[in-house]
């Protein structure tokens, strides 16, 4: 339960509303408690049991005092209006009491509405903010579907199973305590009896609720799997279709889907047991109470009308008790979701802003890799090893090497998407660990092999992440990126939506958009990671021209297969298994007749250029 109370930290921003709701709850409780004894005068008159009090008693704030005073008023009423007239008044009174009770009940829920939904919003936002800032290393280890499930359905689960019963948790104890006090006043003996019965049933119900949390956690996990399958299938639809693998995928999905169904059914069976069970136990309690209580009435230890009021008050207790036990169930069920959410929120970010960042001046000198080594989590192999490299301002450095030789890793280390294990990377002598992430990354523009675009307009994709973007600047970037033609031919020009991941565009068009995006940001350092390797010859030429244009006056790291891009580089680095095996200019390396020469041979033979 401690975790449940830890949820209260989310109530911080809603103190006013919660206060209002609690006040309404107290009023609801008061009117609920009062509604039971209100029936007493009615019964007294109906059965002719009243004893007229004709002298005004001294009013005191005690239960007896109130009762005597009420009886006196009642006697006055009967004298003035006659019996049936008095009954009419009493009926009116009962209506009024129940009206107030329900009015405040509604108001308490009314005030809680924004609180529940607000808290859900806060949790969801926190989760999103956390996930979006999380280390890449952490994210690659996780299934996307599982994260989606946590941000969407787990949060929803918390709302429906925990916040939904928040009103109950705040209100019902008041009603229970109030009613119990009244019960105690009418007959301590009977109340003790009721109390024992209640504890007994509480135990039975609690036992069933216990396993609910574990089951619920499993249910949410499976839902995560389902979402993962869905997400993967949707993004891989093209491949699934062209491999004719629809039925295969469908069967995989059906398996998870079935598992989910079965788990959910078991969960429902258990949860649905709570209501019939508590009703049955309730009626058993009432039957025992009727038998026991009527015994007391027969012996004269209890007055008949008090017994009836007692029963009514008991009903007032048993209703909220039932609601309470339902709440208990729901909370158990929801706590699994809370734990799944907390486990995300609790993850510590490994790569974050330095505590005392060093202000970076405009890029002046160089980038220096010194003895840099790194291996991916869980991998024995070093992805890059002992890299020493200087990239002076204004120069073009090319990195070549077989696929898997560590080229992209080197870039990711520079961007601090991963943290170097040994050695250091410095920009103008400042270790990148001491630079604010944003400062570092805005200085570096990346055009990657896989163009990453969002389901939005062309304009917004180019201006992505920037606020207050000048239209002219965008047009200029587009011009340099050689993207004018196809944008103009698009149905709505800049306002054309490009579909999920830019699916409505060709590979070359997508690439040119990402280039325009990099140009617009005007970074002093530019990284081209195989930016043209997936393009056909015609679009490659367009993209090449665009790249040449932006490499001017910038410091550039190019990773490329194509000779045309690398042969003019100031220095060429040849990577093999994460290590630099050769370095020099195109001519120098050719004359060495080593790995680079082989690489060039392959290019020429298989028509790279
Ligand atoms: P390149 O860009 O030269 O093709 P990479 O830098 O992407 O090569 O990869 C270098 C090595 O690191 C490869 O052996 C690859 O399998 C491994 N690798 C790349 N990314 C990850 C990752 N996220 N987790 C584990 N290993 C990785
Ligand atoms: Mg790569």
């Amino acid at each position: 339960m401690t975790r449940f109370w830890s949820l209260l930290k989310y109530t911080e921003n809603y103190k006013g509303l919660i206060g209002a709701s609690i006040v309404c709850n107290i009023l609801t409780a008061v009117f609920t408690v009062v509604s039971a004894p209100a029936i007493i005068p009615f019964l007294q008159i109906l059965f002719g049991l009243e004893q007229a009090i004709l002298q005004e008693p001294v009013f005191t704030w005690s239960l007896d005092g109130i009762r005597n005073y009420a009886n006196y008023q009642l006697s006055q009423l009967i004298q003035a209006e006659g019996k049936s007239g008095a009954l009419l008044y009493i009926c009116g009174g009962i209506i009024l009491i129940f009206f107030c009770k329900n009015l405040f009940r509604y108001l308490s829920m009314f005030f809680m509405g924004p609180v529940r939904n607000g808290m859900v919003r806060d949790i969801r936002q926190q989760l999103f903010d956390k996930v979006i800032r999380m280390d890449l290393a952490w994210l690659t280890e996780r299934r996307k579907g599982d994260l989606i499930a946590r941000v969407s359905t787990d949060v929803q689960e918390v709302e429906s199973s925990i916040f939904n019963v928040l009103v109950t948790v705040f209100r019902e104890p008041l009603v229970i305590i109030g009613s119990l006090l009244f019960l105690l006043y009418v007959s301590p003996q009977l109340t003790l009896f009721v109390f024992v019965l209640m504890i007994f049933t509480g135990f039975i119900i609690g036992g069933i609720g216990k396993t609910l949390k574990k089951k619920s956690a499993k249910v949410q996990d499976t839902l995560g799997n389902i979402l993962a399958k869905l997400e993967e299938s949707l993004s891989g639809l093209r491949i699934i279709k062209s491999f004719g693998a629809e039925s295969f995928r469908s069967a995989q999905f059906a398996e998870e889907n079935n598992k989910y169904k079965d788990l959910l059914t078991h969960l429902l069976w258990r949860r649905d047991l709570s209501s019939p069970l508590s009703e049955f136990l309730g009626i058993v309690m009432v039957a025992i109470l009727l038998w026991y209580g009527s015994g007391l009435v027969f012996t004269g230890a209890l007055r008949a009308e008090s017994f009836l009021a007692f029963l009514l008050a008991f009903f007032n207790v048993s209703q909220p008790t039932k609601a309470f036990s339902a709440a208990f169930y729901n909370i158990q069920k929801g706590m699994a979701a809370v734990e799944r959410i907390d486990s995300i929120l609790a993850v510590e970010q490994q790569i974050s802003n330095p505590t005392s960042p060093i202000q970076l001046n405009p890029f002046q000198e160089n980038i220096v890799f010194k003895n840099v080594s790194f291996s991916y989590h869980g991998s024995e192999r070093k992805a890059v090893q002992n890299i020493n490299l200087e990239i002076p301002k204004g120069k073009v450095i090319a990195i070549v090497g077989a696929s898997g030789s560590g080229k992209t890793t080197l870039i990711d280390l520079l961007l601090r998407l991963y943290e170097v294990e040994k050695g250091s990377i410095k920009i103008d002598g400042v270790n990148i660990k001491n630079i604010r992430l944003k400062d570092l990354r805005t200085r570096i523009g990346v055009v990657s092999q896989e163009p990453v675009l969002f389901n939005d307009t062309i304009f917004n994709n180019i201006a992505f992440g920037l606020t207050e973007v000048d239209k002219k600047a965008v047009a200029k970037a587009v011009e340099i990126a050689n993207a004018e033609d196809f944008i103009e031919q698009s149905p709505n020009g800049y306002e054309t939506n490009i579909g999920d991941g830019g699916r409505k565009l060709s590979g070359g068009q997508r690439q040119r958009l990402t280039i325009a995006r990099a140009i617009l940001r005007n970074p002093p350092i530019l990284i081209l990671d195989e930016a043209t390797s997936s393009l056909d010859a015609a679009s490659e030429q367009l993209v090449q021209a665009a790249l040449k244009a932006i490499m001017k006056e910038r410091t550039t790291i190019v990773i490329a297969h194509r000779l045309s891009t690398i042969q003019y580089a100031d220095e060429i680095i040849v990577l093999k298994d994460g290590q630099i095996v050769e370095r020099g200019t195109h001519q120098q390396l050719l004359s060495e007749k080593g790995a680079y020469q082989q690489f060039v041979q392959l290019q020429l033979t298989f028509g790279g250029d």
Side-chain angles (χ1 to χ4, degrees), residues 140 376 381 383 402-409 418 530:
T140 41
Y376 283 101
R381 248 189 76 232
S403 170
S405 57
K407 305 179 296 284
T408 301
T409 307
Y418 295 92
E530 312 202 23

Side-chain angles (χ1 to χ4, degrees), residues 127 146-159 161 216-217 220-221 223-224 334 336-338 340-341:
L127 264 179
D146 180 59
L147 288 176
I148 293 174
R150 288 177 201 231
V151 179
S152 56
T153 59
D154 278 296
V155 174
Q156 209 50 51
E157 175 69 37
V158 172
E159 129 79 353
S161 61
S216 184
Q220 294 298 108
D221 274 347
L223 188 59
V338 172
R340 281 162 54 87
I341 291 170

Side-chain angles (χ1 to χ4, degrees), residues 295-310:
L296 290 181
V297 173
F298 287 144
T299 59
L302 191 65
R303 294 161 60 97
E305 74 271 19
S306 296
F307 183 51
L308 279 177
F310 185 93

